[in-house]
Amino acid sequence: MSDTQNESTAPPKASRKTRRRVFRWIGIGLLSIVLGLLGWDVATFDRGAWLRDFEALEGAMAKEYANLDWMVEHRGVDLAKLDRDTRASLGGAFSRVQAFLSLRRFVRTFQDPHFKLTKGAARQSPAPSPSAAPAEAPSAPVASCTAAGYEARAVDYRFPFKKMPGFIPVHEAPFPAGVAGELGVIRIAHFGEDRYLSTCEQVFTTGMEDTALRLAVRAKLQEALQTAIGALRDRGAKRLLVDLTGNGGGTEWVSEAVPLFTEKTLRRSEARIVAPTCDRIPIWKGEKVCSIFGDPPGTATLEGKGVWKGPLFVLADRGTASASEDFVAWLKDNHAAKVLGARTAGAGCGYVNDGGRFELREIGFEVRMPNCARFLADGTNEVEGIAPDIALPLDKSDEEKIQALTAALAATRD
């Protein structure tokens, strides 16, 4: 290559210097902005506001956080020490960033998926009465499914069923299903009807109210589930596995779906709603107080419809949460299914009547806390997750997962 060519392709020194100078000034500018924001944060930080909101949060938790007693009695959370440490951390903070990190550490101590700190103002909801049923919001006409909040979410398998020897698909969305020999597999990716946009669009009519639309979508989903189960039966399935991996929950529609998979009458303790009968604030000093719950729970019952009547298995993992844990618990506690996979997420009951919502008014954050709790037959709070009957290595290769599942299913024949 000639010197002329080298000169033509090499960037002029002046140009390189100009770029370096531009980058240097950009860096200085960005650093100035960051330092300015930090300076503004420190100068305008109101430590007292954070401490007042923290005290208000503790008061709300004492009355409304359904899992608080469980955390103390079974996980050994020392509330008095946690209170002292958090107050000291907030008291020593010099900026919103430091204070936020202190509050976030406080929330994360409980390791509860439904107990979380979020940004944004909201209303503070009163705790519902223990006998209150989930309230229906006033119905209003909706313009479309998307306007009503419905969205298309992925529904395909997470587990590599399609790689199983002889696997044949027999049903598509919203509930993919297939057979491998005499094993039938059906995928339920979500228990929130608002995750199935295409199903909503099938039933939507102009002028439809929100409640009517929701019920129509659920009915259509129930119909699709029954069709998928029927397709598996028709293709010779003798055993059925319901795939709930990654199913993060949804709504009370789950109680309509469960009975399709059994002919048994299912029973379990009703969810317990917060309803304390005393001042529980002293719990933050380590003192004994009354229970967060009121009267002992009654018994909830589901009558099986027997759309599926054969041996049943449920595949769960750490992403199986909330309403899908309710599905697992109904079947496991009543010995209507074997649970395979991994311990579930431990999200548990969640929010009833839109409760468990507390606004930190002075600092502009919101805390969501479950105001109900569900307990398994052995007395364990669902916040601990539901252990599988047979553990599977769901973090391994597809081949290893398939081999483990095949072996587990074979072992259940013994």
Side-chain angles (χ1 to χ4, degrees):
M1 183 178 290
S2 68
D3 292 340
T4 303
Q5 287 176 314
N6 282 333
E7 291 174 2
S8 63
T9 57
K13 292 183 179 180
S15 177
R16 290 200 297 270
K17 289 181 179 179
T18 300
R19 282 201 295 271
R20 284 198 296 268
R21 189 179 300 113
V22 169
F23 290 145
R24 186 182 305 116
W25 281 111
I26 289 175
I28 293 172
L30 291 174
L31 180 60
S32 299
I33 291 172
V34 170
L35 292 175
L37 289 173
L38 290 175
W40 170 84
D41 187 9
V42 172
T44 61
F45 173 62
D46 184 352
R47 185 181 298 108
W50 285 81
L51 286 166
R52 287 191 294 272
D53 267 345
F54 175 66
E55 187 169 340
L57 172 60
E58 286 190 323
M61 289 174 63
K63 296 183 294 183
E64 300 180 39
Y65 179 29
N67 296 325
L68 187 59
D69 292 0
W70 182 270
M71 296 297 176
V72 173
E73 297 165 10
H74 296 271
R75 289 194 181 177
V77 175
D78 186 338
L79 295 185
K81 182 178 185 302
L82 180 61
D83 169 73
R84 289 194 304 271
D85 291 348
T86 305
R87 287 177 183 273
S89 182
L90 289 172
F94 290 93
S95 70
R96 291 174 180 82
V97 172
Q98 287 179 294
F100 171 77
L101 293 176
S102 298
L103 196 57
R104 188 177 66 174
R105 281 195 299 272
F106 171 85
V107 170
R108 288 184 173 181
T109 297
F110 297 92
Q111 298 182 46
D112 181 343
H114 274 135
F115 183 49
K116 52 193 175 183
L117 176 68
T118 60
K119 187 73 175 74
R123 65 190 182 285
Q124 179 180 346
S125 301
S129 67
S131 59
E136 293 289 346
S139 296
V142 295
S144 66
C145 288
T146 52
Y150 288 78
E151 55 185 353
R153 293 285 187 92
V155 298
D156 205 4
Y157 306 106
R158 289 164 60 99
F159 191 90
F161 293 111
K162 293 179 179 179
K163 295 182 180 180
M164 292 181 71
F167 184 84
I168 303 172
V170 301
H171 192 266
E172 298 302 325
F175 305 111
V179 292
E182 64 174 22
L183 175 68
V185 174
I186 187 168
R187 167 71 168 156
I188 304 179
H190 317 283
F191 277 119
E193 62 272 4
D194 58 347
R195 314 294 170 83
Y196 297 93
L197 177 61
S198 61
T199 302
C200 178
E201 291 172 341
Q202 292 175 39
V203 301
F204 177 78
T205 57
T206 303
M208 208 171 197
E209 293 181 337
D210 181 71
T211 300
L213 178 61
R214 184 167 67 252
L215 296 177
V217 174
R218 288 184 189 173
K220 191 69 173 177
L221 291 171
Q222 288 291 93
E223 179 185 318
L225 269 177
Q226 294 183 62
T227 299
I229 295 170
L232 292 170
R233 259 196 334 260
D234 293 344
R235 293 300 296 263
K238 298 292 190 293
R239 314 172 90 199
L240 177 62
L241 185 148
V242 182
D243 175 16
L244 296 184
T245 56
N247 184 325
T251 68
E252 64 273 16
W253 165 50
V254 66
S255 63
E256 300 172 27
V258 170
L260 300 181
F261 295 92
T262 182
E263 54 187 338
K264 290 185 173 184
T265 297
L266 307 178
R267 295 182 177 86
R268 70 175 304 204
S269 293
E270 292 179 333
R272 303 199 67 179
I273 311 299
V274 295
T277 57
C278 71
D279 177 11
R280 285 174 43 87
I281 298 298
I283 196 172
W284 292 103
K285 297 179 181 179
E287 298 178 15
K288 292 289 186 182
V289 294
C290 65
S291 171
I292 190 77
F293 305 115
D295 297 331
T299 299
T301 303
L302 291 178
E303 293 292 340
K305 299 183 180 297
V307 177
W308 176 263
K309 298 180 180 180
L312 182 66
F313 304 88
V314 178
L315 183 64
D317 66 1
R318 290 300 294 176
T320 304
S322 196
S324 57
E325 289 177 295
D326 196 23
F327 185 101
V328 174
W330 273 109
L331 296 170
K332 181 176 181 179
D333 278 357
N334 287 275
H335 307 288
K338 288 282 187 183
V339 181
L340 312 177
R343 184 178 290 273
T344 62
C349 189
Y351 320 113
V352 173
N353 292 352
D354 197 35
R357 184 188 295 271
F358 186 79
E359 181 185 352
L360 302 174
R361 298 182 184 279
E362 297 202 52
I363 62 175
F365 283 88
E366 179 185 83
V367 174
R368 296 304 312 271
M369 63 188 86
N371 63 349
C372 70
R374 290 193 301 258
F375 293 83
L376 304 176
D378 64 2
T380 302
N381 189 324
E382 271 185 30
V383 76
E384 299 297 342
I386 304 173
D389 296 305
I390 303 176
L392 299 180
L394 298 181
D395 58 343
K396 301 296 184 180
S397 68
D398 287 353
E399 182 180 350
E400 290 173 296
K401 286 188 280 192
I402 291 172
Q403 289 175 349
L405 174 61
T406 302
L409 292 171
T412 61
R413 294 184 180 278
D414 299 338

